[in-house]
Amino acid sequence: MSTLTISAGLPRVLAVALLLPSLAGACATTAAVRGGGGGDVNSARLAPYDGPQARIAVASFEDKTRKGSAEIGTGMATMLTTALVNSNRFIVLERDLLEEVLREQDLGASGRVRGGTEAPIGEIEGAELLVIGAVTAFEPDSLGIGGGILGLGTLIGTAVLHDANRNVPISAATYTESHISIDVRVIDATTSRVLFTTAIDARGYDMGGGLIAEVGGGRSRLPLAFGGFQKTATEEAVRKAINLAVVELARRTPAEYFRHASEDFASGRMAAFAYLDLPGLTGERFEQAGVRVAANPAEWATLAAELGLQGAAAAPPVDFSTQRVAAVFAGAQAGPGKSVSVEKAVAFSDRLELTAVLLAPPKDAPALQPTPAQLHPMALVRLDRGAPVTVAWESR
């Protein structure tokens, strides 16, 4: 450990200028539960889990701030749904398609569908818990100081910010801070009784401008509503808030609700998925939108070769005894910079359906010389083994 001692008589500006920009380009986050809940995100972690699960659905997520995108509530609900599934503590049931399912059942009951082929009534799997959320504060990149060169003015500014916020190193050449607050209510669907509520604050800090949004190649990690905040302090804050919300839901849901097995719910159940980040991906050999699945090492070797992966990047990225890889292609595009976002995965009795969105480049994205990957956007995700995989493209 090194110690820097500054004489009390040394001018403040000169003292600041002596510090080196060793933390430039770093990103940090803080997140906490208001009201003395589970502490901060660093102390509240989910241990691996493979026991009985609770049956839950994310009913709605409202944006009360009017400061974000019109679809920010939808984006938060999508992220929370995926995080709940990935925790392995909840059977999360799809609700976006409920109207469509009810219409199909009503059509079958009308007598206009050939007998034996109609969708049976009474087969919709119900949630015992409903999650209702609200975004109560949203300040994306709300505070900052710029300067591409680490000059005296920037140093003075960051020194002032450091006095107010110790998360900001004095050496930061640029600094932005994002803040989001969410309220979450969990309701018993049978009795309509509110079981508990929780309020979460999260902040993201981007020091040095090191988290510029990437474009092309299917690197999106945020739903469409947050597409412009990829790889920024805002993304860090949003993700911390969502992750801590899942920790709180797992910790505070009464034990009696954890009594189900995911195998008992095959239709309309949200399925887990995770992005795979591999270098050198290109979808240039895939001119049409669609999906390719590799369920064993041989299928992966073929797909990896078609994706242009070589060396260590072509090694099997999952344990194929329990998982598989799906490559989602958007087809050839007229211009560069678009990306594929897989929004969710839903398990039906006969298929696993991925919902994908094609995102336009961020408005402030730098001009790029097109490469095959940028003109043929794709996303690569890992999935559990199971039914055949299909893709539904969604436009908003």
Side-chain angles (χ1 to χ4, degrees):
M1 176 182 295
S2 60
T3 302
L4 176 63
T5 303
I6 299 176
S7 169
L10 196 61
R12 172 64 181 260
V13 172
L14 180 57
V16 171
L18 289 173
L19 297 177
L20 297 177
S22 58
L23 295 179
C27 181
T29 54
T30 64
V33 178
R34 274 182 276 136
D40 62 34
V41 74
N42 295 315
S43 62
R45 299 288 185 185
L46 287 177
Y49 181 81
D50 192 27
Q53 299 168 309
R55 211 167 65 200
I56 198 169
V58 180
S60 65
F61 224 109
E62 181 184 0
D63 175 23
K64 294 185 176 181
T65 69
R66 310 300 181 192
K67 293 182 179 179
S69 157
E71 295 182 337
I72 190 173
T74 302
M76 293 294 287
T78 298
M79 294 180 71
L80 181 58
T81 296
T82 301
L84 286 168
V85 174
N86 289 340
S87 76
N88 207 36
R89 285 160 170 78
F90 299 93
I91 298 168
V92 187
L93 301 176
E94 167 64 23
R95 281 298 172 261
D96 288 350
L97 301 179
L98 186 56
E99 251 183 65
E100 180 181 329
V101 173
L102 291 176
R103 279 198 302 269
E104 185 67 23
Q105 291 188 358
D106 290 343
L107 179 62
S110 70
R112 297 185 177 90
V113 177
R114 181 163 58 87
T117 64
E118 71 276 6
I121 292 177
E123 295 297 320
I124 297 177
E125 295 161 347
E128 293 177 334
L129 300 170
L130 296 178
V131 178
I132 297 178
V135 181
T136 56
F138 182 52
E139 297 289 347
D141 299 336
S142 58
L143 180 63
I145 185 166
I149 300 175
L150 188 62
L152 186 59
T154 298
L155 285 169
I156 294 172
T158 52
V160 173
L161 288 173
H162 178 74
D163 275 346
N165 188 337
R166 295 294 169 175
N167 287 288
V168 184
I170 297 178
S171 57
T174 60
Y175 164 79
T176 56
E177 175 179 320
S178 295
H179 170 227
I180 189 166
S181 296
I182 61 175
D183 289 346
V184 176
R185 285 181 292 158
V186 176
I187 299 171
D188 184 301
T190 302
T191 64
S192 296
R193 180 167 58 94
V194 177
L195 296 178
F196 62 89
T197 65
T198 187
I200 293 167
D201 294 320
R203 294 179 183 272
Y205 310 99
D206 183 2
M207 280 76 79
L211 298 177
I212 300 172
E214 298 183 31
V215 295
R219 295 296 300 276
S220 172
R221 291 298 179 277
L222 294 177
L224 183 59
F226 292 102
F229 298 119
Q230 298 172 40
K231 302 296 181 181
T232 67
T234 298
E235 174 175 357
E236 294 297 313
V238 169
R239 290 204 176 281
K240 289 296 184 183
I242 290 294
N243 290 340
L244 191 50
V246 173
V247 170
E248 282 295 284
L249 265 62
R251 187 180 70 87
R252 299 183 62 183
T253 297
E256 60 264 27
Y257 289 91
F258 292 93
R259 58 176 181 269
H260 304 287
S262 59
E263 293 78 11
D264 298 335
F265 299 88
S267 185
R269 174 175 55 87
M270 304 298 292
F273 73 93
Y275 281 90
L276 284 168
D277 287 323
L278 298 176
L281 286 177
T282 171
E284 61 183 308
R285 297 192 183 184
F286 300 90
E287 294 287 329
Q288 305 298 320
V291 61
R292 282 279 300 275
V293 178
N296 55 59
E299 292 176 351
W300 168 250
T302 300
L303 179 59
E306 292 180 297
L307 294 176
L309 296 175
Q310 299 178 353
V318 302
D319 178 0
F320 283 107
S321 66
T322 59
Q323 293 184 313
R324 53 189 168 163
V325 175
V328 180
F329 303 96
Q333 302 297 314
K338 296 182 179 180
S339 59
V340 174
S341 173
V342 176
E343 303 274 284
K344 61 186 176 183
V346 184
F348 296 97
S349 57
D350 60 343
R351 71 191 187 282
L352 179 68
E353 183 174 279
L354 302 177
T355 297
V357 176
L358 182 63
L359 299 178
K363 293 180 181 179
D364 57 351
L368 298 174
Q369 292 297 322
T371 67
Q374 292 161 1
L375 294 172
H376 299 77
M378 60 164 291
L380 200 65
V381 297
R382 64 161 60 93
L383 304 164
D384 290 339
R385 295 184 67 90
V389 178
T390 62
V391 172
W393 288 90
E394 185 175 295
S395 60
R396 300 175 189 167

